[in-house]
Amino acid sequence: MSIQVSPTLPDVESEIRSELGLSGSAQKRQACLSRLLELAIASPSPASWLQSLRDRATAQVQSQSFPSNRNEGWRFTDLSDLLGIEFAAAANSSVQLADLAAYVLPEAEHSRLVFVDGVYAPHLSALSHLPATLQVGNLAALAEPDELLSYLAQQSGADELFTALNTAGLSDAAVIVLPKQLVVDPPIHLLFVATGGDPRSAQADQRPTLTQPRCLVVAGVNSALTLIEDYVTLGSGVCLTNAVTEIWLAENVQVNHTRVQRDSLAAFHIGKTAVSQARSSRYIGNALSFGAALSRHHLEIYQTGEQTETTLNGLTMIAGTQVGDLHSAIALTQPYGTTRQLQKCIVGDRAHAIFNGKVLVPRAAQLTDAGQLNRTLLLSPKARVDTKPQLEIVADNVKCTHGATVGQLEADEVFYLQSRGIDAASARRLLVYAFAYEIIDQIAIASLKQTLCQFITSHTD
Amino acid sequence: MISENSPIILSVNDLTANVDGTQILKGMNLEIKAGEIHAIMGPNGSGKSTFSKILAGHPAYEVTGGEVSFLGQNLLELEPEDRARSGVFLAFQYPLEIPGVSNLDFLRVAYNSRQKHQGLEELDAFDFDELVQQKLDVVKMDAAFLHRSVNEGFSGGEKKRNEILQMALLEPKLGILDETDSGLDIDALKIVADGVNQLSNPDNATLMITHYQRLLNYVVPDYVHVMANGRIIRSGTKDLALELEERGYDWVLDEAAAGVA
């Protein structure tokens, strides 16, 4: 067993600001945040009960400052490219189903919810093959939405800046509520489309857009669900997606969740996945990140009952000048919990991957078993990864392991394939594919698996 | 099988090579004709494995002098994949594991790249499956191995059998076996050797690189060469291998040193 306890650096920024007054860049950051908050608040609020949530979140945003790389959590992920951008709200777009042909999954042909720029698109969605007792749809259309008040924006960490920014502008959301005992057979596909700069967008001046998708899943005792959360962009304009997904697993629930981020290379993507697991529940999360100029994914697991199982598989594959950041935090708070995390990164050109994996094991979490591994494949000499396991262990009778490996394609491996008549470029493609496949293989949806395999092969040169 | 009139498959003349600036090969000479089975033996560090990798085109080694002619063409100017497609096959001492790529797909890609290179018909999955089923018998391999990832989780013996299966499919003109006997129990050794014997015919040639004489009981060589310090210092028949087994390498090294002096 090896343990590393990383010291948490104090937030030095507020101290510096008080000493020096607001510097130019600090002013720019505040201006950017104010602009984003203004946009969020301006979104329509369909119900009065939502307004109080929004107001509270607004206050949370106002009490924080826009992160710079002086914040420990943002040391390697530089948001300064966002500062100069004048974001606007997305206008209504006229996306048709044919535009989404590449993203439609046959397995979920009749169990798909589509949101375009954060707005529910009933004409693109299909919900005919789902059990009648399942509540699924958009928040604004639900009969008794206030029942969700104890779940919506109630996960720990809801006050984090970007999560609060999303809540401050919350006007609609994808909602899935499983009653107890319900096992949903078809996978449910949540497709979030951003149309930044797309010709189909009604946005005449093609200004960069802000969209804030939201998703809430509440799974009752003994229920089971397979969920695909899919982020795509149409067009290649600049857009910022700030997504939040909250998932609540009651006792003995099983959720198999695959999150795919395949935005355009002009996009910025900030996302939160917060999962709360009650006793004996099993959560399998596959998080795949391919797109966006800059992406940041906060993945937070809260084990709130005994004997919970968490499996996290992640793949970040980036190239060019992309930045791909995964910050995960797993809190084991009860005895007998297990977690398995495997995060793989494939980094080409001058791209930069970041992995920060926090695991918290407080005194109450005895007899828990936590394993974490980060493996990175660097495809170019200028490619970079910053990897940081962060285990904070107080309980004394636990098993915790972590590891990180960083490597390149081995000349011997390429040679082996060449010696069988396979040319060097194909050999490299095959080896990258093989590295990625361990994660792709965990996806429960065959068509998505195949699409992503093709994507990986076509993006390796 | 030695036949004076057989065409020359491989001809190595005064080959020298470096790795990381250190000279490993110091004037290799070797000629192999069709139908022949050769064995290169030698102590650890003699350069015999390096020699096999250089023939296959491993990029870590720098050829600094000499010539290698394969079926009349300059082998050294070919990329590794083109050497393979032209009929050079190296069975690895440590075959690579490739998770996520099925053995069947891998074999088909390799087979078709050679077919294409030689202007022959590429096989679709159906026809290839039929072909590979026939070849499985060569190494007594279960068809279940075809659907597993390449070498992943294979035992040492299974990996070596998989190498010979690849050789059976690619039908090389020159099969080079690098320490193929290492790490094999006697049953696996017999299966591998039996496979090699089945594949040997009057039109191709086999070069075995081995530290021990054991393999040579099952694949009987026409010629045995002893390599030391980057060159061949003695050549003979299979009796030489038996003598080495009995007396070790020192006497050959001593005699060679005396000869030079």
Side-chain angles (χ1 to χ4, degrees), chain A residues 102-160:
Chain A
Y103 305 114
V104 167
L105 303 173
E107 293 90 339
E109 212 183 339
H110 304 289
S111 50
R112 180 179 66 244
L113 279 168
V114 181
F115 287 74
V116 177
D117 296 321
V119 178
Y120 182 56
H123 66 292
L124 303 174
S125 304
L127 297 167
S128 59
H129 279 204
L130 289 167
T133 53
L134 177 74
Q135 272 196 69
V136 56
N138 61 317
L139 184 68
L142 288 187
E144 294 172 44
D146 47 346
E147 283 181 2
L148 299 174
L149 266 178
S150 50
Y151 299 106
L152 197 57
Q154 299 305 309
Q155 298 268 12
S156 305
D159 57 345
E160 177 268 321

Side-chain angles (χ1 to χ4, degrees), chain A residues 412-413 415-424 430-431 433-434 437, chain B residues 57-58 81 84-85 90 92 96 98-100 106 110 113 151 163 166:
Chain A
D412 277 340
E413 296 175 341
F415 174 64
Y416 181 68
L417 296 171
Q418 283 181 285
S419 77
R420 298 300 178 256
I422 297 166
D423 65 83
L430 198 61
L431 291 167
Y433 167 83
Y437 188 77
Chain B
H58 195 293
E81 57 268 33
R85 293 164 185 170
L90 173 63
F92 278 53
L96 180 86
I98 316 173
F106 171 65
S113 66
N151 293 329
E163 293 290 284
Q166 292 170 31

